[in-house]
């Protein structure tokens, strides 16, 4: 279903409901906007790369707002088990299992795709207060993730990857259970426990428990009316002689630089997000007056 033409998605009632709700939600609750979209050529394939927020609500807001502004359906390269378990509705909204071959076929067909290379490890890291905006592409095995570099290399020199992130995306919802967990330092205790056990079935079970509990707890969140803005940075261009490792490192560094230069912080701050919303409201009223 992800290989359908963009216009065909609009014929789906589910997709229209998705668009209508998250465009409304993003506009009313967060004044959601996108900056830098003009950098992206509409008639060429490209790959957006972003971070994995712990509340995930920035993802549908970005997809819905982007479609409203461009008419382009971004194919999200999602966790393969997630798509398998939610096949009916995810595939009708543009989600595709994150296999290299499927992603490459979509890009060669000229589609826009998006991926979150950090995966579950980055998702879990972002539950902590101080590391909410760290770009973390290290698998729990200790190996650096290079899949995004391998995919971009397959498209050849000149292909563009666009680092992007939602400013105040981590503050769009407040999760009291997550804050309690981190305040009691239980995240550090659990992490130390996972590192202390030998590689094998026990470590795998502890890891699966962490992922699934976090995925369930994420729904116990309260919307916070912060100003949220998706920033699209300058493209990282594939060059002759790039390796998967060097290209991945370049993308990761440019994404982290985009975050740091835009926000000047990596910790979660609901105060800053609400202040940004207040400034936007004030500026809007001043222009209207």
């Amino acid at each position: 279903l992800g290989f359908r033409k963009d216009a065909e998605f609009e014929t789906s009632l589910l997709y229209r409901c998705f668009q209508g709700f998250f465009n409304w939600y993003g506009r009313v609750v967060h004044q959601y906007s996108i900056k830098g979209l003009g950098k992206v050529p509409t008639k060429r394939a490209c790959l957006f790369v972003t971070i994995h927020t712990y509340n995930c609500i920035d993802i549908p807001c970005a997809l819905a707002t982007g479609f409203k502004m461009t008419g382009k359906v971004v194919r999200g390269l999602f966790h393969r088990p997630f798509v398998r378990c939610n096949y009916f509705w995810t595939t009708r909204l543009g989600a595709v299992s994150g296999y290299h071959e499927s992603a490459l076929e979509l890009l060669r067909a000229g589609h826009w795709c998006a991926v979150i290379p950090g995966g579950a490890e980055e998702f879990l890291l972002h539950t902590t207060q101080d590391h909410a905006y760290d770009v973390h592409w290290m698998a729990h095995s200790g190996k650096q993730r290079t899949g995004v570099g391998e995919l971009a290399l397959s498209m050849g020199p000149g292909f563009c990857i666009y680092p992007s992130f939602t400013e105040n995306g981590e503050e769009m919802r407040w999760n009291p259970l997550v804050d309690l967990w981190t305040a009691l330092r239980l995240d550090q205790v659990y992490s130390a426990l996972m590192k202390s056990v030998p590689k094998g079935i026990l470590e795998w079970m502890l890891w699966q428990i962490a992922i699934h509990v976090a995925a369930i707890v994420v729904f116990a969140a309260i919307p916070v009316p912060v100003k949220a803005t998706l920033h699209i940075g300058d493209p990282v261009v594939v060059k002759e002689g790039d390796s998967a490792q060097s290209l991945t490192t370049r993308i990761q560094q440019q994404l982290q630089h985009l975050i740091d230069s835009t926000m000047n912080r990596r910790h979660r701050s609901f105060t800053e997000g609400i202040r940004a919303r207040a400034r936007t409201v004030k500026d809007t009223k001043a222009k209207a007056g």
Side-chain angles (χ1 to χ4, degrees), residues 76-96:
L77 308 177
F78 281 81
H79 305 291
R80 282 162 280 189
F82 175 77
V83 176
R84 283 197 297 268
C85 293
N86 303 275
Y87 183 84
F88 177 82
W89 66 271
T90 55
T91 54
R92 284 163 175 77
L93 300 180
V96 179

Side-chain angles (χ1 to χ4, degrees), residues 11-280:
T11 63
S12 165
L13 176 61
L14 180 62
Y15 193 79
R16 292 200 302 272
C17 290
F18 167 82
Q19 283 293 322
F21 176 77
F22 282 105
N23 269 304
W24 170 85
Y25 179 89
R27 183 180 68 256
V28 172
V29 181
H30 302 294
Q31 289 186 320
Y32 199 92
S33 59
I34 300 179
K35 289 185 177 181
L37 194 54
K39 301 174 184 178
V40 187
T42 57
K43 298 187 181 298
R44 291 175 54 189
C46 70
L47 181 64
F48 297 96
V49 176
T50 189
I51 59 174
H52 204 319
T53 59
Y54 91 109
N55 60 61
C56 303
I57 195 65
D58 58 309
I59 298 173
C61 288
L63 295 175
T65 306
F67 180 81
K68 183 179 181 180
M69 294 176 68
T70 66
K72 299 281 289 185
V73 176
V74 177
R75 274 66 172 182
L77 308 177
F78 281 81
H79 305 291
R80 282 162 280 189
F82 175 77
V83 176
R84 283 197 297 268
C85 293
N86 303 275
Y87 183 84
F88 177 82
W89 66 271
T90 55
T91 54
R92 284 163 175 77
L93 300 180
V96 179
S97 292
Y99 290 101
H100 179 95
E101 296 76 12
S102 300
L104 187 58
E105 189 174 348
L106 283 166
L107 290 171
R108 286 176 173 169
H111 295 297
W112 285 3
C113 294
V115 66
I116 301 175
E121 290 84 354
E122 190 174 67
F123 167 78
L124 292 173
L125 177 67
H126 288 179
T127 62
T128 62
Q129 175 74 16
D130 295 332
H131 300 283
Y133 290 95
D134 283 357
V135 181
H136 180 75
W137 293 356
M138 189 75 70
H140 74 279
S141 63
K143 294 182 179 180
Q144 179 75 11
R145 293 177 180 269
T146 59
V148 64
E150 294 168 6
L151 176 60
L153 279 179
S154 298
M155 289 297 291
F159 179 70
C160 293
I161 307 99
Y162 290 86
S164 57
F165 87 104
T166 297
E167 181 180 4
N168 297 316
E170 292 285 358
E171 290 83 5
M172 291 172 74
R173 295 199 296 178
W174 173 57
N175 195 313
L177 297 178
V178 169
D179 276 4
L180 178 62
W181 175 263
T182 55
L184 296 175
R185 305 297 184 188
L186 294 176
D187 57 324
Q188 297 179 18
V189 173
Y190 196 85
S191 177
L193 174 62
M194 290 179 62
K195 292 177 181 178
S196 67
V197 300
K199 299 287 183 180
I201 186 65
L202 180 57
E203 187 222 17
W204 181 86
M205 288 178 62
L206 289 172
W207 183 247
Q208 295 304 313
I209 290 171
I211 293 173
H212 286 86
V213 169
I216 294 170
V217 169
V218 75
F219 291 101
I222 302 168
V224 180
V226 301
K227 173 69 178 85
T229 304
L230 175 66
H231 294 271
I232 299 174
D234 294 329
V236 177
V237 183
V238 178
K239 301 176 181 178
E240 293 281 359
D242 271 332
S243 66
Q245 180 66 61
S246 65
L247 181 56
T248 300
T249 299
R250 197 146 49 90
I251 298 168
Q252 182 175 358
Q253 290 175 344
Q254 194 154 323
L255 175 55
Q256 188 68 74
H257 175 72
L258 175 65
I259 295 170
D260 293 345
S261 61
T262 301
M263 299 186 65
N264 198 31
R265 63 177 168 89
R266 295 189 186 181
H267 63 276
R268 191 177 299 115
S269 176
F270 293 100
T271 302
E272 288 295 324
I274 292 172
R275 284 175 179 170
R277 176 68 180 271
R279 287 193 298 269
T280 303

